[in-house]
Amino acid sequence: MTPPVAPDQAALGLSDMLAEKPLCGGCGAKVGPGVLNAGLCQLPLPSRADVISGPGDDAAVLEIGGLRQVLTTDHLRAVTDDPAAMVRIAILHAMGDIWSMGAEPQAALLSLILSRQSEPLQARVMEEILTTAQAVLQAEGAALVGGHTTMGSEMTIGVTLTGLCGQKVITQDGGKAGDRLILTRPLGSGIILAAEMQGAARGRDVAALLDVMQAPQGRAAAILRGAATAMTDVTGFGFAGHLGAMAKGAGLSALIYLENLPIFAGVQDLVRAGHGSALAKSNRAAAPVAGLAEGDWRSAVLHDPQTAGGLLAAIPAQKAQEILAALAKEGIEAWEVGEFEAGPEGGMAVRA
């Protein structure tokens, strides 16, 4: 893909941005973690008694009639021109926030930006999106209750979701020293999607990735929440970014089992060829990992933004093998990828 040429009059810094990698789709299009955290730090704590938590976790926690409800919102630039596949990915991506909080999906609103097109095409695309969305939500016990539509330069799908979890909420910051870290999905989706934008990814690798991204994780979440002390979903800030947030919240360090990390097929070759997401640089700056050998290609994977990524759960050491066995019995792949330990708050290192 040839980078666009900056106009004669443009915002400060635009030329530098256009000289870098093209803007990615999916979670690779997020605002960087440093910029986002600087903005969130200026927000006051919630003043309402029924708003239990503010920004920072995967979803907000509300208390309504003695029940705990979680609330999240997300939107994705399209990573595929297939509207049905894209809405399926967007909904399951947003559901990751609900599942990681230990909740069951409840209700959804869709916010759709369709590329500009004739009214007959609009109607066909809308029917395809809504039919697929309804099926995906119903399969997970949730309802589609409304939304909003506009037209723009490209397809973007947003999802706002609520979930119910009774009184027990699983947050990012409950991990304990010695807990094992279990991950339910391979890494490297951002690298493949970035390469696919430039026609450099193998078709079979892209197809395999899209299949994984469209697979629900409700059964995995149900197994994990029975033992998890903390949980998150690995998305835009990469494995290291989300793990670092868990470790910081718990006042611990994290040891990463580098050799155990699951990685999508084709990623190693793409990294060595120089492919990667536009967001990876910001992710790396925000979540450094110690102990990596100079030039280790897996550094790129640790900071790669994921779309519809896996669940990452902290499980007490004595229960980890039991949980892995329960996942395997259901045909769900999962990997033990690290552990929490006493050490500098939020620190991360790879196991030698």
Side-chain angles (χ1 to χ4, degrees):
M1 180 183 294
T2 303
V5 178
D8 292 335
Q9 293 184 341
L12 184 66
L14 179 62
S15 296
D16 292 337
M17 290 185 67
L18 293 180
E20 297 177 355
K21 297 180 184 296
L23 180 64
C24 293
C27 248
K30 285 175 70 76
V31 171
V35 174
L36 178 61
N37 288 335
L40 292 178
C41 285
Q42 301 178 46
L43 295 178
L45 293 174
S47 59
R48 291 180 59 104
D50 54 359
V51 179
I52 308 303
S53 70
D57 218 307
D58 290 315
V61 182
L62 312 177
E63 186 165 15
I64 302 172
L67 291 177
R68 295 290 175 94
Q69 183 185 59
V70 296
L71 171 66
T72 189
T73 190
D74 221 317
H75 71 266
L76 299 176
R77 292 184 71 221
V79 298
T80 174
D81 291 329
D82 181 342
M86 193 59 229
V87 74
R88 192 177 292 113
I89 290 168
I91 290 172
L92 295 175
H93 176 87
M95 279 188 181
D97 290 339
I98 301 297
W99 287 322
S100 67
M101 301 292 289
E104 297 278 0
Q106 179 192 24
L109 299 171
L110 292 184
S111 179
L112 306 176
I113 301 177
L114 304 182
S115 57
R116 193 174 183 186
Q117 54 200 273
S118 67
E119 288 193 358
L121 283 177
Q122 291 175 43
R124 285 167 53 185
V125 172
M126 284 293 295
E127 181 181 6
E128 190 171 2
I129 286 175
L130 294 176
T131 299
T132 303
Q134 185 80 352
V136 173
L137 288 161
Q138 284 185 343
E140 299 301 320
L144 178 60
V145 295
H148 186 71
T149 57
T150 62
M151 286 190 292
S153 61
E154 60 186 7
M155 182 167 62
T156 300
I157 299 180
V159 184
T160 298
L161 273 169
T162 61
L164 296 175
C165 53
Q167 288 297 316
K168 182 182 179 183
V169 178
I170 301 173
T171 61
Q172 295 181 6
D173 58 7
K176 304 289 189 282
D179 282 355
R180 299 301 191 260
L181 299 167
I182 292 177
L183 178 65
T184 64
R185 191 157 280 184
L187 302 170
S189 65
I191 293 165
I192 293 176
L193 293 173
E196 196 272 339
M197 288 177 62
Q198 299 177 302
R202 291 190 298 247
R204 64 177 179 269
D205 295 336
V206 175
L209 169 63
L210 291 175
D211 284 346
V212 171
M213 292 166 68
Q214 294 178 76
Q217 298 192 85
R219 289 187 302 146
I223 293 169
L224 291 169
R225 68 171 172 253
T229 59
M231 190 153 51
T232 191
D233 59 331
V234 179
T235 53
F237 298 146
F239 176 82
H242 291 283
L243 175 57
M246 292 176 73
K248 183 176 180 180
L252 299 168
S253 289
L255 184 65
I256 299 169
Y257 302 166
L258 192 61
E259 300 299 328
N260 287 14
L261 287 181
I263 299 171
F264 282 110
V267 169
Q268 181 175 357
D269 290 342
L270 292 173
V271 171
R272 294 192 186 282
H275 294 287
S277 169
L279 187 59
K281 181 178 177 181
S282 296
N283 285 353
R284 185 176 293 108
V289 177
L292 284 164
E294 185 71 25
D296 192 322
W297 65 274
R298 291 168 295 188
S299 173
V301 176
L302 289 172
H303 301 286
D304 182 48
Q306 305 302 286
T307 301
L311 300 172
L312 178 61
I315 304 292
Q318 67 273 20
K319 295 183 179 180
Q321 292 306 310
E322 175 186 339
I323 293 296
L324 287 168
L327 291 166
K329 185 176 180 180
E330 291 292 318
I332 300 167
E333 287 191 292
W335 298 263
E336 187 177 327
V337 295
E339 63 184 272
F340 282 138
E341 59 184 9
E345 183 179 292
M348 290 177 287
V350 299
R351 183 170 65 180

